[in-house]
Amino acid sequence: MATPKALKSKPKLRSPIPVMILMCIIAVALLFLFSSMDSTNGFLLFSSAKAKKVRQHSFHDKYLYWGDRIDCPGKHCDSCEGLGHQESSLRCALEEAIFLNRTFVMPSRMCINPIHNKKGILHKPDNATTEERWAATSCAMDSLYDIDLISETVPVILDNSNVWHVILTTSMKLGARGVAHVEGLSRVDLKEDSHYSNLLLINRTASPLSWFMECKDRNNHSAVLLPYSFLPSMAAEKLRIAADQIKTLLGDYDAIHVRRGDKIKTRKDRFGVERSLHPHLDRDTRAEFILRRIQKWVPAGRTLFIASNERTPGFFSPLSVRYKLAYSSNYSHILDPLIENNYQLFMIERLILMGAKTFIKTFKEDDMDLSLTDDPKKNTKMWQIPVYTWTEEGS
């Protein structure tokens, strides 16, 4: 009698359809949960994935070495040029690495000109060694640039890396088959001559002036392998994040870069008359003239971000009659914990300038650029009498 009852209530005879429905509901719920996590932490997940994308170097790669300091060898070994000057040289070296299909051995540190530093890291104790003085007047290259990001365009290793030490040791063991020290040869010679093209390492002696002198044909745009904007866009990740935070706070904005400082310096000729290489620049970069110049490009009421090396308090205040002014100093809560020198600050400011709806440079560099002055940026070596009054030229 008990057996029929047990068989009658046996659950295994039920239809499997409800179980399948339940499993589908659980799967959909899990899918929704993970997609929500991805959308919430998308930037973090993307960043983590990108950080793991590190290029692996091998002995199948060939390497190009220009020296352990930018512009050294060269006339600036014992001095230190500004960031723009050094970037021109670094970009030239990177272009040659692309042309030769080689991995570039990048200096692990960049020297900092004292006038471009505001945080006092440049101290030179009298009893310091040459290496200590160099460390005190320079910063780590990877504190300025994202080396992995650069390597997506041109493979790069730093000259303090383990990979470089292995390559250097191996090339020395190989002797003439491993390394060549070249001077006075063009990149075309290095590429077409099999004696050089098959070597593991080329140790290059660049121009005795500056590295960028190796890229003399920059007016020929077909010879330019990397645009001017390449290195500014390769800023270290922490600098890019800071720039993005400030751009978000700025919202919809326009921007001007006002170069004064060293560019407006004058000197007296033998008759005692003041002369300048940029005769209109001092005038054109004063607030009242900026206001007149940019009104055709930037409507009234707009937020105007200003990046400048002018340090006079309130120098640009007259612009506030027409615009809402913003400076990097307005975002000290973001920058102060991060910035160690003015090179880092300028790299962040450049990213902000590049993100503006309308960006007005000090000098016109390309035909399509908007600029505050019509004076040429390039040093013409012509010292002229400065002009401080308004004329219709450049209006």
Side-chain angles (χ1 to χ4, degrees):
M1 296 289 295
T3 303
K5 278 188 178 181
L7 291 173
K8 188 176 182 181
S9 60
K10 192 173 182 180
K12 290 183 180 179
L13 296 178
R14 290 181 181 178
S15 171
I17 294 178
V19 177
M20 293 175 64
I21 294 175
L22 180 60
M23 291 176 65
C24 290
I25 293 173
I26 293 173
V28 171
L30 288 172
L31 180 62
F32 178 78
L33 176 63
F34 284 118
S35 64
S36 300
M37 290 173 64
D38 279 348
S39 62
T40 304
N41 301 316
F43 180 77
L44 179 61
L45 292 172
F46 176 79
S47 298
S48 300
K50 191 163 188 174
K52 293 178 181 178
K53 188 180 178 181
V54 178
R55 188 178 187 278
Q56 298 298 317
H57 299 273
S58 71
F59 292 110
H60 297 293
D61 297 330
K62 297 181 177 66
Y63 296 83
L64 176 67
Y65 181 66
W66 275 38
D68 63 348
R69 303 183 192 181
I70 295 176
D71 289 333
C72 188
K75 71 174 184 178
H76 296 294
C77 276
D78 297 323
S79 63
C80 184
E81 291 300 296
L83 179 63
H85 182 117
Q86 292 189 74
E87 281 192 336
S88 293
S89 289
L90 183 57
R91 190 168 64 249
C92 181
L94 290 169
E95 284 188 359
E96 182 163 296
I98 293 175
F99 184 81
L100 298 177
N101 194 26
R102 287 178 172 268
T103 296
F104 181 65
V105 184
M106 184 181 289
S108 56
R109 300 189 70 82
M110 176 183 281
C111 74
I112 303 177
N113 191 308
I115 67 171
H116 296 298
N117 183 70
K118 71 172 186 177
K119 290 221 169 182
I121 66 169
L122 304 184
H123 53 281
K124 299 181 182 179
D126 294 335
N127 59 347
T129 65
T130 301
E131 290 75 14
E132 289 171 337
R133 285 195 298 271
W134 167 241
T137 57
S138 63
C139 65
M141 193 68 76
D142 55 10
S143 73
L144 299 175
Y145 303 103
D146 188 328
I147 305 303
D148 292 333
L149 190 59
I150 292 176
S151 292
E152 293 180 11
T153 301
V154 48
V156 166
I157 61 172
L158 294 176
D159 68 2
N160 64 348
S161 64
N162 291 331
V163 175
W164 169 236
H165 293 306
V166 172
I167 295 301
L168 191 60
T169 302
T170 304
S171 66
M172 290 179 175
K173 289 179 179 178
L174 292 173
R177 296 181 296 111
V179 60
H181 306 276
V182 301
E183 183 174 359
L185 294 177
S186 71
R187 59 182 59 175
V188 175
D189 295 331
L190 296 176
K191 185 172 185 177
E192 294 182 352
D193 190 332
S194 60
H195 173 69
Y196 300 109
S197 61
N198 294 325
L199 293 172
L200 174 64
L201 173 64
I202 292 178
N203 180 15
R204 179 85 141 97
T205 299
S207 168
L209 299 174
S210 300
W211 282 7
F212 63 74
M213 292 300 293
E214 297 296 332
C215 296
K216 294 176 182 177
D217 197 21
R218 296 201 70 82
N219 290 327
N220 176 10
H221 290 287
S222 64
V224 178
L225 301 179
L226 292 173
Y228 169 82
S229 60
F230 176 72
L231 284 173
S233 64
M234 295 292 114
E237 184 178 23
K238 64 179 182 180
L239 304 183
R240 300 199 309 271
I241 291 173
D244 287 341
Q245 291 174 336
I246 293 174
K247 286 191 289 185
T248 299
L249 294 173
L250 282 168
D252 185 21
Y253 67 98
D254 303 301
I256 57 174
H257 178 223
V258 188
R259 180 81 180 272
R260 286 177 59 81
D262 58 315
K263 288 293 184 182
I264 61 172
K265 67 181 180 181
T266 61
R267 73 179 185 187
K268 292 182 179 180
D269 62 17
R270 61 195 179 98
F271 301 107
V273 178
E274 294 283 354
R275 292 182 177 272
S276 172
L277 287 171
H278 307 282
H280 304 91
L281 183 62
D282 192 359
R283 179 201 68 181
D284 293 344
T285 53
R286 292 181 180 272
E288 57 269 32
F289 294 101
I290 293 175
L291 198 60
R292 182 169 178 174
R293 176 87 168 188
I294 72 173
Q295 62 181 350
K296 55 190 172 185
W297 301 318
V298 183
R302 295 278 297 169
T303 295
L304 185 66
F305 179 80
I306 302 174
S308 178
N309 60 351
E310 176 58 56
R311 293 294 173 254
T312 304
F315 186 84
F316 298 106
S317 294
L319 293 171
S320 63
V321 299
R322 186 175 175 86
Y323 305 110
K324 294 176 284 187
L325 305 184
Y327 309 87
S328 58
S329 58
N330 298 141
Y331 306 97
S332 56
H333 63 287
I334 295 174
L335 298 176
D336 282 356
L338 179 69
I339 298 300
E340 298 173 354
N341 56 70
N342 271 15
Y343 281 13
Q344 290 179 321
L345 175 62
F346 181 56
M347 294 187 76
I348 291 175
E349 287 184 331
R350 283 194 307 195
L351 293 171
I352 298 171
L353 294 171
M354 291 164 62
K357 181 177 181 180
T358 301
F359 171 33
I360 303 168
K361 301 179 179 181
T362 302
F363 299 98
K364 183 185 289 287
E365 297 172 358
D366 294 314
D367 292 339
M368 300 301 293
D369 286 344
L370 303 177
S371 65
L372 297 176
T373 184
D374 293 320
D375 284 354
K377 181 179 182 180
K378 187 176 181 180
N379 185 353
T380 60
K381 299 183 180 179
M382 295 175 58
W383 290 84
Q384 304 175 57
I385 298 175
V387 177
Y388 296 107
T389 58
W390 180 263
T391 65
E392 289 305 311
E393 61 176 327
S395 63

